[in-house]
């Protein structure tokens, strides 16, 4: 089983870097008790944003084959029922800005007849040999944006039009690249902040990254 872990930045998967690069159990800093079934997995850092993600992932998949590709990252949440630091499985992701303005209205690219804007994972945790039912991750829908929301007016427009739960800068592009290359994929996000007027004092990137990496390490013990 070959698995590719994909993240936008090294910081989001910092704890996993030693695990992925290590070829012996003693060297896995922070994960000395892991019992991996195989070492056949890799980590790809794409850079931030949908353009960087689609290019880097598409280029990599053109020259490498995997049984599963997993997108790991942090996200902002529109949904206050999702806790800061909570790890969720994305079931749908939309390119929120791909389309045209028509006065106060927005016309998505699908309505314009030029393509698609919404993408889905090709599998889900529960389907992976039924190993992951014990994780019981909350499911969430997401949007992918070039500009993260930080203005109440734009937040209200996005929630009215798309009713998303989370937002990231890469997720839908990840799904698109995987679909184009016909590789099974899932997207896992940890919430670092709520979508509101920008206030980093309310963010907790540290706990989101910690919980994301803990999930990923446990995932690899079961599936890698």
């Amino acid at each position: 089983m070959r698995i590719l872990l994909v993240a936008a930045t090294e910081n989001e998967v910092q704890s996993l870097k030693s695990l992925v690069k290590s070829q012996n159990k003693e060297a896995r800093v922070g994960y000395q008790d892991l019992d991996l079934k195989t070492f056949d997995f890799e980590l790809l850092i794409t850079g931030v944003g949908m353009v960087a993600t689609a290019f880097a992932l598409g280029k990599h998949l053109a020259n490498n084959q995997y049984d599963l590709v997993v997108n790991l990252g942090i996200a902002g949440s529109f949904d206050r029922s999702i806790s800061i630091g909570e790890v969720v499985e994305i079931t749908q992701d939309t390119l929120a800005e791909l389309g045209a303005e028509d006065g106060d209205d927005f016309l998505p690219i699908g309505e314009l007849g030029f393509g698609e804007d919404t993408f889905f994972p090709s599998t889900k945790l529960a389907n992976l040999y039924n190993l992951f039912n014990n994780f019981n991750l909350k499911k969430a829908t997401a949007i992918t944006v070039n500009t993260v929301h930080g203005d109440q007016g734009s937040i209200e427009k996005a929630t009215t039009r798309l009713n998303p739960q989370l937002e990231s800068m890469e997720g839908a592009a990840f799904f698109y690249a995987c679909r184009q290359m016909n590789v099974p994929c899932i997207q896992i996000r940890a919430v670092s902040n709520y979508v509101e007027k920008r206030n980093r004092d309310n963010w907790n990137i540290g706990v989101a990254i910690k919980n994301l990496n803990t999930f990923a390490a446990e995932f690899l013990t079961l599936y890698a």
Side-chain angles (χ1 to χ4, degrees), residues 89 121-133 186 223:
E89 180 180 4
S122 57
T123 188
K124 53 187 177 180
L125 286 176
N127 287 345
L128 300 176
Y129 299 106
N130 295 316
L131 288 175
F132 300 107
N133 292 331
I186 58 174
Y223 199 53

Side-chain angles (χ1 to χ4, degrees), residues 141-162:
T141 61
I143 58 174
T144 298
V145 296
N146 285 306
T147 303
V148 296
H149 289 85
D151 171 77
Q152 190 57 40
S154 66
I155 292 170
E156 290 176 359
K157 286 182 179 179
T159 54
T160 298
R161 181 166 65 88
L162 297 166

Side-chain angles (χ1 to χ4, degrees), residues 95-139:
L95 295 168
E97 302 153 335
L98 190 59
E101 290 183 336
D102 182 12
D104 292 333
D105 296 327
F106 180 84
L107 305 176
I109 193 171
E111 288 187 20
L112 295 171
F114 296 138
E116 301 173 69
D117 60 5
T118 299
F119 304 93
F120 304 88
S122 57
T123 188
K124 53 187 177 180
L125 286 176
N127 287 345
L128 300 176
Y129 299 106
N130 295 316
L131 288 175
F132 300 107
N133 292 331
N134 57 312
F135 281 121
N136 196 31
L137 296 188
K138 185 174 290 185
K139 310 297 190 295

Side-chain angles (χ1 to χ4, degrees), residues 17-208:
K17 286 178 63 181
S18 59
L19 177 64
V20 173
K21 292 179 179 179
S22 171
Q23 294 300 306
N24 64 83
K25 192 172 183 178
E26 290 70 26
R28 295 177 203 142
V29 178
Y31 296 107
Q32 287 88 352
D33 59 342
L34 289 182
D35 182 19
L36 295 177
K37 298 173 183 176
T38 177
F39 294 105
D40 203 5
F41 59 94
E42 298 176 33
L43 177 60
L44 174 67
I45 305 299
T46 62
V48 173
M50 61 187 81
V51 173
T53 296
F55 175 79
L57 182 55
K59 180 180 178 182
H60 188 83
L61 292 178
N63 297 293
N64 299 273
Q65 293 186 335
Y66 298 94
D67 299 295
L68 180 68
V69 183
V70 183
N71 186 205
L72 300 170
I74 59 176
S77 179
F78 295 89
D79 186 347
R80 296 287 177 133
S81 72
I82 302 177
S83 303
I84 298 292
E86 188 167 0
V87 179
V88 302
E89 180 180 4
I90 304 302
T91 59
Q92 172 184 308
D93 209 320
T94 298
L95 295 168
E97 302 153 335
L98 190 59
E101 290 183 336
D102 182 12
D104 292 333
D105 296 327
F106 180 84
L107 305 176
I109 193 171
E111 288 187 20
L112 295 171
F114 296 138
E116 301 173 69
D117 60 5
T118 299
F119 304 93
F120 304 88
S122 57
T123 188
K124 53 187 177 180
L125 286 176
N127 287 345
L128 300 176
Y129 299 106
N130 295 316
L131 288 175
F132 300 107
N133 292 331
N134 57 312
F135 281 121
N136 196 31
L137 296 188
K138 185 174 290 185
K139 310 297 190 295
T141 61
I143 58 174
T144 298
V145 296
N146 285 306
T147 303
V148 296
H149 289 85
D151 171 77
Q152 190 57 40
S154 66
I155 292 170
E156 290 176 359
K157 286 182 179 179
T159 54
T160 298
R161 181 166 65 88
L162 297 166
N163 193 31
Q165 291 173 280
L166 302 184
E167 74 171 8
S168 77
M169 300 179 77
E170 299 87 21
F174 165 81
F175 281 154
Y176 173 81
C178 288
R179 190 183 73 175
Q180 292 299 102
M181 300 305 294
N182 196 31
V183 60
C185 63
I186 58 174
Q187 180 186 167
I188 305 295
R189 296 272 166 183
V191 173
S192 60
N193 61 282
Y194 290 121
V195 178
E196 58 189 358
K197 185 177 167 114
R198 189 173 179 85
N199 183 1
R200 288 184 66 90
D201 290 339
N202 291 338
W203 297 9
N204 199 330
I205 293 175
V207 71

